[in-house]
């Protein structure tokens, strides 16, 4: 087939010795617990719960249940010898209405997740947006990423 890589070249190709294997997840796709512990509605919750938007009406309400099973997920990553893991933060879990006081149960969840992750591997962060805060997502990154990054640096990562 034109443009395809010859099998002989594929067989010779190797990743560099210092290549870092890792994984990435998106909060909506893995967390579940969509309406637990004070989490607000996200843009994905609203979309998935709107009839006719997704074939079969499937949602991320339970997903992989990482909210309750994150320690098992981290253990699996360790078994796979992954050295990097990028996960996203569900902003409505931290600030349910998009403004006002933070949801301490959401903060506590991510604090436990970050602490467990720091024991296992380096971490990078991202986020999604609370439905009422749709146009202000960038502010979440400005607030959260430096705060968790500081914790990573303080713990030697």
């Amino acid at each position: 087939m034109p443009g395809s890589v010859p099998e002989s070249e594929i067989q010779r190709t190797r990743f560099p010795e210092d290549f870092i294997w890792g994984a990435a997840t998106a909060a909506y796709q893995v967390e579940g617990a969509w309406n637990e512990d004070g989490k607000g509605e996200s843009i994905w919750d609203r979309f998935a719960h709107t009839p006719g938007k997704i074939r079969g009406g499937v949602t991320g309400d339970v997903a992989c249940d990482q909210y309750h099973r994150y320690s098992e997920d981290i253990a699996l990553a360790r078994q796979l010898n992954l050295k990097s893991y990028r996960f996203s933060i569900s902003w409505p879990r931290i600030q349910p209405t998009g403004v006002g006081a933070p949801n301490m149960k959401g903060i506590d969840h991510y604090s436990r997740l970050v602490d467990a992750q720091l024991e296992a591997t380096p971490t990078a962060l991202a986020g999604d947006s609370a439905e009422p805060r749709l146009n202000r997502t960038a502010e979440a990154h400005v607030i959260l990423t430096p705060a968790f990054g500081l914790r990573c640096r303080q713990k030697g990562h």
Side-chain angles (χ1 to χ4, degrees):
M1 170 183 280
S4 65
V5 178
E7 180 68 26
S8 60
E9 188 173 332
I10 292 172
Q11 293 302 320
R12 290 191 321 266
T13 303
R14 299 288 177 256
F15 285 92
E17 289 296 319
D18 60 351
F19 185 83
I20 298 174
W21 289 96
T25 60
Y28 184 77
Q29 295 173 340
V30 297
E31 276 187 10
W34 84 278
N35 62 353
E36 291 185 40
D37 292 338
K39 179 188 171 289
E41 181 183 45
S42 76
I43 57 177
W44 286 109
D45 294 325
R46 169 83 49 98
F47 183 83
H49 289 139
T50 302
K53 291 291 186 180
I54 297 178
R55 184 180 299 188
V58 295
T59 68
D61 291 1
V62 177
C64 300
D65 200 23
Q66 187 186 51
Y67 185 78
H68 299 109
R69 303 178 72 177
Y70 66 88
S71 59
E72 295 171 60
D73 295 336
I74 292 170
L76 287 171
R78 274 187 158 162
Q79 286 180 328
L80 292 170
N81 201 29
L82 299 181
K83 302 296 183 193
S84 175
Y85 175 53
R86 194 233 27 113
F87 64 95
S88 71
I89 292 172
S90 176
W91 183 249
R93 193 171 298 285
I94 297 207
Q95 197 169 46
T97 63
V99 296
N103 173 21
M104 292 313 296
K105 288 184 178 183
I107 299 278
D108 291 344
H109 166 71
Y110 286 116
S111 183
R112 288 188 304 273
L113 177 61
V114 168
D115 287 345
Q117 192 60 47
L118 287 173
E119 291 178 19
T121 186
T123 305
L125 306 170
D128 70 353
S129 180
E131 176 63 24
R133 192 180 176 125
L134 179 60
N135 295 319
R136 296 168 59 188
T137 305
E139 188 177 325
H141 296 287
V142 171
I143 295 167
L144 287 174
T145 303
F148 280 114
L150 176 62
R151 289 191 55 208
C152 294
R153 287 191 298 280
Q154 288 172 341
K155 293 197 178 229
H157 295 282

